[in-house]
Amino acid sequence: MHVGILTGGGDCPGLNAVIRAVTLALINEGGARVTGIERGFLGLLTRQVRALDADAVAGILAQGGTILGTHNRCDPFHYFGAGGADVSDQAMAYARELGMDALVAIGGDGTMSIAERFHMKGLPMVGVPKTIDNDLLHTDRSFGFDSAVAVVTEALDRLETTARSHGRVMIAETMGRYAGWIALEGGMAGAADIILLPELPYRLEAIVERCREREARDGYTVICVAEGARPEGGSMTVATTIADSPDPIRLGGVGALLQHQLQPLLQSEVRATLLGHVQRGGSPTPFDRVLATRFGYHAAQLARRREFGRMVTLTGADISSVSLAEVAGRTRPVPADDMLLAAARGLGVSLGS
Ligand code: F6P
């Protein structure tokens, strides 16, 4: 059996752990030949591939990023960007020329959409859910999320030091795109006083009120705001747009905006820190290394059993899979009845509403 592997979308801690697990499991248990496609689906068009074996994946478990490189703008069905040409036949032809029996695509909702379309065209696909945002449908966790939350937690611990010492309001802005998972879990782990999520539009007055209450008592406040958070009746803060990207909007800047809105209304000094790509870089946590390894092993099993058109999932403690059609292009926001959200409210954390 000859299996290809590619990593699509943004880099993420744990990608290399999946590549390693898929490669080793296929070689050891299936005697398969494994080929890495470089820079996501782009490698199928530019014909950039490399052989993967035990030596090629040695020592990469703990490495952040992806040894194969990635691309978040290459969709062969819209090359490049919406309205772009459909060059998927060219990619299919190259996969066939390589004699590929299956292709494992590791990525987020965009990558799963492309994988689903290739699967429908006849390229046998297996998906592995990757994103620090944890916003993929039908999986409790995507690998990378735990590592991002660990960074946010440490950042909040450090920002609290300055907040407490100076009596300041310290704002940390997290990633997460249109979902608040990173801000919610990171904010709770880092004991934020106020957590703002895209799913719960905030009222500035509610934030001011909580900061003033705290000014009156112990004098400092830590705010954890998701990049997608927005005021009631307002819109998200866009940092930039990437014209030829399938998902052109890049969020960012709501933390700085809040700083400028809050400062005139409070006595304390207000400061904002944009955590940015620091959340996506570096070595995966032990949880993510294990999850990525379990995902990779299961993806290899699906390929060997020829159960194609599926994405591996985590439900509770179980690794399973769902059809790519059920996850393609769909995301999972924090639901209104989320239990951690209820705990936040119960503990008196302000959600800005
Ligand atoms: O989807 C992962 C993510 O890091 C989001 O949290 C963030 O909005 C986006 O990617 C940033 O993308 P880029 O690396 O293109 O700026």
Side-chain angles (χ1 to χ4, degrees):
M1 188 174 201
H2 183 191
V3 180
I5 308 177
L6 63 79
T7 53
D11 62 290
C12 178
L15 284 168
N16 286 327
V18 181
I19 294 168
R20 172 180 175 269
V22 173
T23 303
L24 293 178
L26 282 170
I27 292 172
N28 292 337
E29 292 190 343
R33 181 173 151 219
V34 185
T35 295
I37 318 294
E38 297 180 357
R39 303 207 68 201
F41 288 101
L42 187 63
L44 285 178
L45 300 168
T46 56
R47 298 174 160 252
Q48 285 171 287
V49 297
R50 67 166 105 158
L52 292 177
D53 57 17
D55 286 342
V57 299
I60 66 168
L61 173 63
Q63 271 177 31
T66 161
I67 57 164
L68 295 176
T70 187
H71 208 288
N72 60 3
R73 278 179 284 155
C74 179
D75 173 355
F77 293 91
H78 303 282
Y79 189 74
F80 269 5
D86 181 347
V87 293
S88 56
D89 284 341
Q90 193 185 320
M92 291 282 293
Y94 184 53
R96 289 207 175 103
E97 191 184 313
L98 288 171
M100 230 172 245
D101 301 301
L103 178 57
V104 176
I106 313 167
D109 59 308
T111 301
M112 293 308 130
S113 295
I114 300 169
E116 154 69 0
R117 294 193 69 176
F118 272 120
H119 181 71
M120 296 308 287
K121 270 180 90 96
L123 185 59
M125 299 292 308
V126 173
V128 179
K130 164 244 58 160
T131 168
I132 64 164
D133 304 336
N134 201 38
D135 62 350
L136 280 168
L137 215 57
H138 296 301
T139 186
D140 291 352
R141 283 277 186 275
S142 48
F143 69 85
F145 174 64
D146 188 67
S147 304
V149 167
V151 173
V152 173
T153 306
E154 187 185 346
L156 291 179
D157 288 351
R158 290 173 185 273
L159 292 171
E160 195 264 356
T161 307
T162 301
R164 182 163 30 85
S165 304
H166 290 259
R168 285 182 185 168
V169 174
M170 298 296 281
I171 303 170
E173 178 182 322
T174 73
M175 280 188 165
R177 223 167 36 151
Y178 307 117
W181 295 106
I182 299 177
L184 176 60
E185 206 155 294
M188 288 301 282
D193 306 297
I194 300 174
I195 299 176
L196 305 174
L197 311 178
E199 293 85 351
L200 297 173
Y202 62 82
R203 285 186 308 111
L204 191 65
E205 310 81 71
I207 301 172
V208 171
E209 194 182 318
R210 175 56 58 95
C211 292
R212 284 186 179 154
E213 267 169 39
R214 294 189 58 82
E215 272 179 349
R217 287 189 290 127
D218 47 16
Y220 72 93
T221 305
V222 175
I223 302 178
C224 183
V225 57
E227 62 182 359
R230 62 188 170 91
E232 273 180 12
S235 43
M236 294 183 185
T237 314
V238 175
T240 185
T241 49
I242 316 262
D244 59 359
S245 169
D247 180 10
I249 295 191
R250 294 294 177 275
L251 298 171
V254 66
L257 185 71
L258 269 178
Q259 177 193 355
H260 294 299
Q261 289 174 331
L262 289 173
Q263 189 59 88
L265 305 171
L266 297 172
Q267 282 169 7
S268 326
E269 208 173 312
V270 185
R271 295 293 184 89
T273 303
L274 180 67
L275 301 179
H277 291 84
V278 167
Q279 295 159 94
R280 243 168 55 185
S283 185
T285 58
F287 178 91
D288 276 339
R289 293 181 199 190
V290 173
L291 180 61
T293 299
R294 293 181 76 197
F295 276 168
Y297 179 70
H298 198 78
Q301 300 300 304
L302 290 178
R304 287 185 59 211
R305 295 200 299 257
R306 299 186 182 277
E307 288 180 35
F308 299 124
R310 302 193 70 74
M311 181 190 86
V312 300
T313 58
L314 177 75
T315 310
D318 296 332
I319 304 287
S320 184
S321 68
V322 285
S323 93
L324 280 170
E326 283 184 66
V327 290
R330 296 167 70 194
T331 53
R332 182 177 67 105
V334 177
D337 63 353
D338 182 77
M339 289 171 82
L340 189 57
L341 210 49
R345 284 198 184 92
L347 269 65
V349 174
S350 167
L351 299 169
S353 48

